[in-house]
Amino acid sequence: CLNEQRLSSFSRHMELFSPDRSYIFMRQEQRQRALPSVPYLSIFFLDMTFVLEGHAADIILPKTGMINFIKYRRIFELLRELLYYQERPYFFGAMKSIQD
């Protein structure tokens, strides 16, 4: 049996990692975090797969050679969002007990 604090923590994590509404709670949580932070990459891969597989082909009209710029703009936005998390470096202090 879980105590009340652990049960509350478990419920919060269940809500946070719920795929309902395209991981809306996790997306909100990520936006509120200060850098540096590690993004939940599962959402990035889900979004990238949707863009790559769900949008029209790279070349819309083969005869004219028109490119699907909407698709490539969305790919750029996803990559820019991922790079945002690399803007600030992580600083880890030395731990003598581990280094020795």
Side-chain angles (χ1 to χ4, degrees), residues 1 3 6-7 27 30-31 35 48 51-52 69 81 83:
C1 186
N3 65 27
R6 290 182 189 221
L7 188 57
R27 291 175 193 272
Q30 279 185 191
R31 286 187 196 108
L35 293 180
M48 187 61 78
V51 170
L52 293 173
F69 279 103
E81 184 178 328
L83 289 173

Side-chain angles (χ1 to χ4, degrees), residues 10-93:
F10 178 75
S11 296
R12 171 70 179 133
H13 282 89
M14 288 293 292
E15 177 183 305
L16 196 59
F17 288 96
S18 170
D20 295 344
R21 295 178 31 209
S22 191
Y23 294 92
I24 187 72
F25 299 114
M26 179 57 81
R27 291 175 193 272
Q28 290 171 348
E29 186 71 24
Q30 279 185 191
R31 286 187 196 108
Q32 294 173 1
R33 292 284 168 203
L35 293 180
S37 67
V38 178
Y40 186 49
L41 291 177
S42 180
I43 293 174
F44 169 76
F45 292 131
L46 181 73
D47 291 347
M48 187 61 78
T49 300
F50 175 78
V51 170
L52 293 173
E53 301 295 325
H55 284 72
D58 297 339
I59 298 176
I60 298 174
L61 300 173
K63 293 178 184 177
T64 62
M66 293 179 67
I67 296 174
N68 185 350
F69 279 103
I70 295 171
K71 178 179 182 175
Y72 284 100
R73 185 178 316 134
R74 184 64 184 129
I75 290 171
F76 169 76
E77 290 168 356
L78 288 170
L79 292 173
R80 182 178 55 193
E81 184 178 328
L82 190 62
L83 289 173
Y84 167 76
Y85 292 98
Q86 297 181 359
E87 286 181 1
R88 293 204 181 117
Y90 289 88
F91 295 105
F92 299 103

